[in-house]
Amino acid sequence: SAVISQKPSRDICQRGTSLTIQCQVDSQVTMMFWYRQQPGQSLTLIATANQGSEATYESGFVIDKFPISRPNLTFSTLTVSNMSPEDSSIYLCSGGGTSGYNEQFFGPGTRLTVL
Amino acid sequence: AQSVTQLGSHVSVSEGALVLLRCNYSSSVPPYLFWYVQYPNQGLQLLLKYTSAATLVKGINGFEAEFKKSETSFHLTKPSAHMSDAAEYFCAVSEGFQKLVFGTGTRLLVSP
């Protein structure tokens, strides 16, 4: 398994600003993923972060709003740009690809509140 | 496309009682299936996974799940609930390219 940390753990931001969330894995992982979890709801995949190439975004999510970097096999960042109150959510990163069974290991999440 | 249905957004049990959380999946290929647990203000922790090696899968904290192909189910059980089991539980199916599709979650409430 992999141990994943995220920074910041929580933040309160003003609308119109941007926040960058960092995700660090304690070992190399092939795949990293970014999810959004709105209060009381399930996880929605934002994008898959690939090392050395652009992230692959799910329907409804765009690079201009959620730019992602993946400079190496243990680190990724997600930026939430031009925030609005609707972006208030928990953002989770995960790592996978270390086994043949598609399991993922999750970070503790970043709780974002936009005022 | 693969999907997961979790019946019951909330399940309440008494401490010491059987825990049964239901999960049905839809998949056109043999799936990989997972149960994750999320404690308040924390990320998701992998409880167990089905990888076709055995239909009865044992996980952490005394949980187990049985894969039933004929019923397209992967229900999670624990013989005796503990107060510390109170959490949100998510069933997930692998969709290929390493992606997971999650169910809507079931909140387990354990009363003394």
Side-chain angles (χ1 to χ4, degrees):
Chain A
S1 64
V3 177
I4 299 179
S5 59
Q6 285 184 235
K7 289 195 296 187
S9 59
R10 59 177 61 230
D11 208 342
I12 300 173
C13 301
Q14 298 296 319
R15 73 169 63 214
T17 62
S18 298
L19 176 71
T20 295
I21 302 168
Q22 298 180 7
C23 181
Q24 179 75 54
V25 190
D26 70 341
S27 58
Q28 294 184 346
V29 292
T30 306
M31 314 291 288
M32 292 183 76
F33 304 87
W34 287 97
Y35 292 86
R36 184 172 70 185
Q37 185 180 27
Q38 295 181 308
Q41 297 192 25
S42 187
L43 282 73
T44 300
L45 181 64
I46 296 171
T48 303
N50 307 304
Q51 194 240 345
S53 64
E54 284 196 0
T56 303
Y57 290 83
E58 298 299 304
S59 177
F61 297 96
V62 295
I63 187 171
D64 290 346
K65 175 67 175 177
F66 298 102
I68 288 171
S69 77
R70 177 89 194 270
N72 56 52
L73 292 175
T74 64
F75 187 78
S76 179
T77 67
L78 169 77
T79 299
V80 186
S81 303
N82 188 25
M83 289 184 285
S84 67
E86 290 71 35
D87 294 319
S88 297
S89 191
I90 299 170
Y91 293 85
L92 295 135
C93 74
S94 71
T98 57
S99 75
Y101 304 119
N102 298 352
E103 64 202 277
Q104 294 178 21
F105 301 97
F106 285 80
T110 296
R111 187 176 296 269
L112 171 62
T113 301
V114 184
L115 302 178
Chain B
Q2 293 165 315
S3 65
V4 169
T5 301
Q6 290 185 244
L7 291 176
S9 59
H10 293 79
V11 170
S12 295
V13 300
S14 300
E15 193 172 20
L18 171 72
V19 175
L20 170 61
L21 304 183
R22 299 179 186 273
C23 173
N24 288 87
Y25 70 92
S26 170
S27 175
S28 59
V29 297
Y32 296 139
L33 293 159
F34 308 87
W35 276 99
Y36 284 87
V37 61
Q38 185 177 34
Y39 298 102
N41 300 314
Q42 296 187 28
L44 274 70
Q45 180 181 8
L46 181 64
L47 269 180
L48 49 81
K49 63 188 179 193
Y50 168 73
T51 62
S52 76
T55 57
L56 183 62
V57 181
K58 295 188 182 299
I60 62 172
N61 301 339
F63 284 93
E64 62 182 37
E66 186 172 9
F67 174 73
K68 292 187 176 180
K69 184 178 180 180
S70 61
E71 299 176 9
T72 60
S73 68
F74 190 56
H75 302 331
L76 181 71
T77 61
K78 182 174 180 177
S80 176
H82 192 273
M83 295 294 290
S84 61
D85 294 327
E88 188 87 18
Y89 292 80
F90 293 96
C91 183
V93 62
S94 173
E95 195 180 58
F97 296 106
Q98 309 273 346
K99 293 200 295 186
L100 296 180
V101 175
F102 285 88
T104 51
T106 298
R107 182 168 297 276
L108 177 65
L109 307 169
V110 183
S111 56

Coordinates of all heavy atoms in Angstrom, one line a residue, chain B residues 46-94:
Chain B
L46 N -9.1 1.4 2.4 CA -9.5 0.2 1.8 C -9.7 -0.9 2.8 O -8.9 -1.2 3.6 CB -8.4 -0.3 0.8 CG -8.6 -1.5 0.0 CD1 -9.8 -1.4 -0.9 CD2 -7.4 -2.0 -0.7
L47 N -11.0 -1.4 2.8 CA -11.4 -2.5 3.7 C -11.0 -3.8 3.1 O -10.5 -4.7 3.8 CB -12.9 -2.4 3.9 CG -13.5 -1.6 5.1 CD1 -15.0 -1.7 5.1 CD2 -12.9 -2.1 6.4
L48 N -11.4 -4.0 1.8 CA -11.1 -5.3 1.2 C -11.3 -5.2 -0.3 O -11.9 -4.2 -0.8 CB -12.0 -6.4 1.8 CG -13.5 -6.2 1.9 CD1 -14.2 -6.3 0.6 CD2 -14.2 -7.1 2.9
K49 N -10.9 -6.2 -1.0 CA -11.0 -6.1 -2.5 C -11.3 -7.6 -3.0 O -10.8 -8.5 -2.5 CB -9.8 -5.6 -3.1 CG -8.5 -6.4 -2.9 CD -7.3 -5.8 -3.3 CE -6.0 -6.6 -3.1 NZ -4.8 -5.9 -3.2
Y50 N -12.1 -7.6 -4.1 CA -12.3 -8.9 -4.8 C -11.5 -8.8 -6.1 O -11.7 -7.9 -6.9 CB -13.8 -9.1 -5.1 CG -14.0 -10.2 -6.1 CD1 -13.9 -11.5 -5.7 CD2 -14.4 -9.9 -7.4 CE1 -14.1 -12.5 -6.6 CE2 -14.6 -10.9 -8.3 CZ -14.4 -12.3 -7.9 OH -14.6 -13.3 -8.8
T51 N -10.7 -9.9 -6.3 CA -9.9 -9.9 -7.5 C -10.0 -11.2 -8.2 O -9.1 -11.5 -9.0 CB -8.4 -9.7 -7.1 OG1 -8.0 -10.8 -6.2 CG2 -8.2 -8.4 -6.3
S52 N -11.0 -12.0 -7.9 CA -11.4 -13.3 -8.6 C -10.6 -14.4 -8.0 O -10.8 -15.6 -8.5 CB -11.2 -13.2 -10.1 OG -9.8 -13.3 -10.5
A53 N -9.8 -14.2 -7.0 CA -9.0 -15.4 -6.5 C -9.9 -16.2 -5.6 O -9.8 -17.4 -5.5 CB -7.8 -14.8 -5.7
A54 N -10.8 -15.6 -4.9 CA -11.7 -16.3 -3.9 C -13.0 -15.5 -3.8 O -13.0 -14.2 -3.8 CB -11.1 -16.4 -2.6
T55 N -14.2 -16.1 -3.8 CA -15.4 -15.4 -3.7 C -15.7 -14.8 -2.4 O -16.4 -13.8 -2.3 CB -16.6 -16.3 -4.1 OG1 -16.6 -17.5 -3.3 CG2 -16.4 -16.8 -5.6
L56 N -15.2 -15.4 -1.3 CA -15.3 -14.8 0.0 C -14.0 -14.1 0.4 O -13.0 -14.7 0.5 CB -15.6 -15.9 1.1 CG -15.9 -15.4 2.5 CD1 -17.1 -14.5 2.5 CD2 -16.1 -16.6 3.4
V57 N -14.1 -12.8 0.6 CA -13.0 -12.0 0.8 C -13.0 -11.5 2.3 O -14.0 -10.9 2.7 CB -12.9 -10.8 -0.2 CG1 -11.7 -10.0 0.1 CG2 -13.0 -11.3 -1.6
K58 N -11.9 -11.7 2.9 CA -11.8 -11.1 4.3 C -10.9 -9.9 4.3 O -9.9 -9.8 3.6 CB -11.1 -12.2 5.2 CG -12.0 -13.4 5.4 CD -11.4 -14.4 6.4 CE -12.3 -15.6 6.5 NZ -13.6 -15.3 7.0
G59 N -11.4 -8.9 5.1 CA -10.7 -7.6 5.1 C -10.3 -7.3 6.5 O -10.2 -8.1 7.4
I60 N -10.0 -6.0 6.7 CA -9.6 -5.5 8.0 C -10.8 -5.3 8.9 O -11.9 -5.2 8.5 CB -8.8 -4.2 7.8 CG1 -9.6 -3.1 7.3 CG2 -7.5 -4.5 7.0 CD1 -9.0 -1.7 7.3
N61 N -10.5 -5.2 10.2 CA -11.5 -4.9 11.2 C -12.6 -5.9 11.3 O -13.7 -5.6 11.7 CB -12.0 -3.5 11.0 CG -11.0 -2.4 11.1 OD1 -9.9 -2.6 11.6 ND2 -11.2 -1.3 10.5
G62 N -12.4 -7.2 10.9 CA -13.4 -8.2 11.0 C -14.4 -8.2 9.9 O -15.4 -9.0 9.9
F63 N -14.3 -7.4 8.9 CA -15.3 -7.3 7.8 C -14.9 -8.4 6.7 O -13.8 -8.7 6.5 CB -15.3 -5.9 7.1 CG -16.0 -4.9 7.9 CD1 -15.3 -4.1 8.8 CD2 -17.4 -4.7 7.8 CE1 -16.0 -3.1 9.6 CE2 -18.0 -3.7 8.5 CZ -17.3 -2.9 9.4
E64 N -16.0 -8.8 6.1 CA -15.8 -9.7 4.9 C -16.9 -9.4 3.9 O -17.9 -8.8 4.2 CB -15.8 -11.2 5.3 CG -17.0 -11.7 5.9 CD -16.9 -13.2 6.3 OE1 -15.8 -13.6 6.8 OE2 -17.9 -13.9 6.2
A65 N -16.7 -9.9 2.7 CA -17.7 -9.7 1.6 C -17.6 -10.9 0.7 O -16.6 -11.5 0.5 CB -17.3 -8.4 0.8
E66 N -18.8 -11.2 0.2 CA -18.9 -12.4 -0.7 C -19.3 -11.9 -2.1 O -20.3 -11.2 -2.3 CB -19.9 -13.4 -0.1 CG -20.0 -14.7 -1.0 CD -20.8 -15.7 -0.3 OE1 -21.5 -15.5 0.7 OE2 -20.8 -16.9 -0.8
F67 N -18.6 -12.4 -3.1 CA -18.9 -12.1 -4.5 C -19.8 -13.1 -5.0 O -19.5 -14.3 -4.9 CB -17.6 -12.1 -5.3 CG -17.8 -12.0 -6.8 CD1 -18.2 -10.7 -7.3 CD2 -17.6 -13.0 -7.6 CE1 -18.4 -10.6 -8.7 CE2 -17.9 -12.9 -9.0 CZ -18.2 -11.7 -9.5
K68 N -21.0 -12.7 -5.4 CA -22.0 -13.6 -6.0 C -22.3 -13.2 -7.4 O -23.1 -12.2 -7.6 CB -23.2 -13.7 -5.2 CG -23.0 -14.3 -3.8 CD -24.4 -14.5 -3.1 CE -24.2 -15.2 -1.7 NZ -25.4 -15.3 -1.0
K69 N -21.7 -13.9 -8.4 CA -21.9 -13.5 -9.8 C -23.3 -13.6 -10.2 O -23.8 -12.7 -10.9 CB -21.0 -14.4 -10.7 CG -21.0 -14.0 -12.1 CD -20.1 -14.9 -12.9 CE -20.1 -14.5 -14.4 NZ -19.2 -15.4 -15.2
S70 N -24.0 -14.6 -9.8 CA -25.4 -14.8 -10.2 C -26.3 -13.7 -9.7 O -27.3 -13.4 -10.4 CB -25.9 -16.2 -9.7 OG -25.9 -16.2 -8.3
E71 N -25.9 -13.1 -8.6 CA -26.8 -12.0 -8.1 C -26.1 -10.6 -8.4 O -26.7 -9.6 -7.9 CB -26.9 -12.2 -6.6 CG -27.7 -13.5 -6.2 CD -27.8 -13.7 -4.7 OE1 -27.4 -12.8 -3.9 OE2 -28.2 -14.8 -4.3
T72 N -25.0 -10.6 -9.0 CA -24.2 -9.4 -9.2 C -24.1 -8.6 -8.0 O -24.4 -7.4 -7.9 CB -24.7 -8.5 -10.4 OG1 -26.1 -8.1 -10.1 CG2 -24.7 -9.3 -11.7
S73 N -23.7 -9.3 -6.9 CA -23.7 -8.6 -5.6 C -22.3 -8.8 -4.9 O -21.6 -9.7 -5.2 CB -24.8 -9.2 -4.7 OG -24.5 -10.5 -4.3
F74 N -22.0 -7.9 -4.0 CA -20.8 -7.9 -3.3 C -21.1 -7.3 -1.9 O -20.6 -6.2 -1.6 CB -19.7 -7.2 -4.0 CG -18.3 -7.3 -3.4 CD1 -17.7 -8.6 -3.3 CD2 -17.5 -6.2 -3.1 CE1 -16.5 -8.7 -2.8 CE2 -16.3 -6.4 -2.6 CZ -15.7 -7.6 -2.4
H75 N -21.9 -7.9 -1.1 CA -22.4 -7.4 0.1 C -21.3 -7.5 1.2 O -20.6 -8.5 1.3 CB -23.6 -8.1 0.6 CG -24.8 -8.0 -0.3 ND1 -25.0 -6.9 -1.2 CD2 -25.8 -8.9 -0.5 CE1 -26.1 -7.1 -1.9 NE2 -26.6 -8.3 -1.6
L76 N -21.3 -6.5 2.1 CA -20.3 -6.4 3.1 C -20.9 -6.8 4.4 O -22.0 -6.4 4.8 CB -19.7 -5.0 3.3 CG -18.7 -4.7 4.3 CD1 -17.3 -5.3 3.9 CD2 -18.5 -3.2 4.5
T77 N -20.3 -7.7 5.2 CA -20.8 -8.1 6.5 C -19.8 -8.1 7.6 O -18.6 -8.1 7.3 CB -21.4 -9.6 6.4 OG1 -20.3 -10.4 6.0 CG2 -22.5 -9.6 5.3
K78 N -20.3 -8.0 8.8 CA -19.4 -8.2 10.0 C -20.3 -8.8 11.0 O -21.4 -8.4 11.3 CB -18.9 -6.8 10.5 CG -18.0 -7.0 11.7 CD -17.3 -5.6 12.1 CE -16.4 -5.8 13.3 NZ -15.7 -4.6 13.6
P79 N -19.9 -9.9 11.7 CA -20.8 -10.6 12.6 C -21.2 -9.8 13.8 O -22.4 -10.0 14.2 CB -19.9 -11.8 13.0 CG -18.8 -11.9 12.0 CD -18.6 -10.6 11.5
S80 N -20.4 -8.9 14.3 CA -20.7 -8.2 15.5 C -20.2 -6.8 15.4 O -19.0 -6.5 15.4 CB -20.0 -8.9 16.7 OG -20.3 -8.2 17.9
A81 N -21.2 -5.9 15.4 CA -20.8 -4.5 15.2 C -20.2 -3.9 16.5 O -20.6 -4.2 17.6 CB -22.0 -3.7 14.9
H82 N -19.2 -3.0 16.3 CA -18.6 -2.3 17.4 C -18.9 -0.8 17.2 O -19.1 -0.3 16.0 CB -17.1 -2.6 17.3 CG -16.4 -2.1 18.6 ND1 -15.9 -0.8 18.7 CD2 -16.1 -2.8 19.7 CE1 -15.3 -0.7 19.9 NE2 -15.4 -1.9 20.5
M83 N -18.9 -0.1 18.2 CA -19.1 1.4 18.1 C -18.2 2.1 17.2 O -18.5 3.0 16.5 CB -19.0 2.0 19.5 CG -20.1 1.6 20.5 SD -21.7 2.1 20.0 CE -21.7 3.8 20.3
S84 N -17.0 1.6 17.1 CA -15.9 2.2 16.3 C -16.2 1.9 14.8 O -15.5 2.5 13.9 CB -14.6 1.7 16.6 OG -14.5 0.3 16.5
D85 N -17.2 1.1 14.5 CA -17.5 0.8 13.0 C -18.4 1.9 12.4 O -18.6 1.9 11.2 CB -18.2 -0.5 12.9 CG -17.3 -1.7 13.3 OD1 -16.1 -1.6 13.0 OD2 -17.9 -2.7 13.8
A86 N -18.9 2.8 13.2 CA -19.7 3.9 12.7 C -18.9 4.7 11.8 O -17.9 5.3 12.1 CB -20.2 4.7 13.9
A87 N -19.4 4.8 10.5 CA -18.6 5.5 9.4 C -19.4 5.4 8.2 O -20.5 4.8 8.1 CB -17.3 4.8 9.2
E88 N -18.9 6.0 7.1 CA -19.5 5.9 5.8 C -18.7 4.8 5.0 O -17.5 4.7 5.0 CB -19.3 7.2 5.0 CG -20.1 7.3 3.7 CD -21.5 7.8 3.9 OE1 -21.8 8.4 5.0 OE2 -22.3 7.6 3.0
Y89 N -19.5 4.0 4.3 CA -18.9 2.8 3.6 C -19.3 3.0 2.1 O -20.4 3.2 1.7 CB -19.4 1.5 4.1 CG -18.9 1.2 5.5 CD1 -19.5 1.8 6.6 CD2 -17.8 0.4 5.7 CE1 -19.0 1.5 7.9 CE2 -17.3 0.1 7.0 CZ -18.0 0.7 8.1 OH -17.5 0.5 9.3
F90 N -18.2 2.8 1.3 CA -18.4 3.0 -0.2 C -18.0 1.7 -0.9 O -16.9 1.1 -0.6 CB -17.6 4.1 -0.7 CG -18.0 5.5 -0.3 CD1 -17.4 6.1 0.8 CD2 -19.0 6.2 -0.9 CE1 -17.7 7.3 1.3 CE2 -19.4 7.4 -0.5 CZ -18.8 8.0 0.6
C91 N -18.9 1.2 -1.7 CA -18.6 0.1 -2.6 C -18.1 0.7 -4.0 O -18.6 1.8 -4.4 CB -19.8 -0.7 -2.9 SG -19.6 -2.2 -3.9
A92 N -17.1 0.1 -4.6 CA -16.6 0.6 -5.9 C -16.2 -0.5 -6.8 O -15.9 -1.6 -6.4 CB -15.3 1.4 -5.6
V93 N -16.4 -0.2 -8.1 CA -16.0 -1.2 -9.1 C -15.0 -0.6 -10.0 O -15.0 0.6 -10.3 CB -17.3 -1.7 -9.9 CG1 -17.9 -0.5 -10.7 CG2 -16.9 -2.8 -10.9
S94 N -14.0 -1.4 -10.5 CA -13.0 -0.9 -11.4 C -13.5 -0.8 -12.8 O -14.1 -1.8 -13.3 CB -11.8 -1.8 -11.3 OG -10.9 -1.4 -12.3

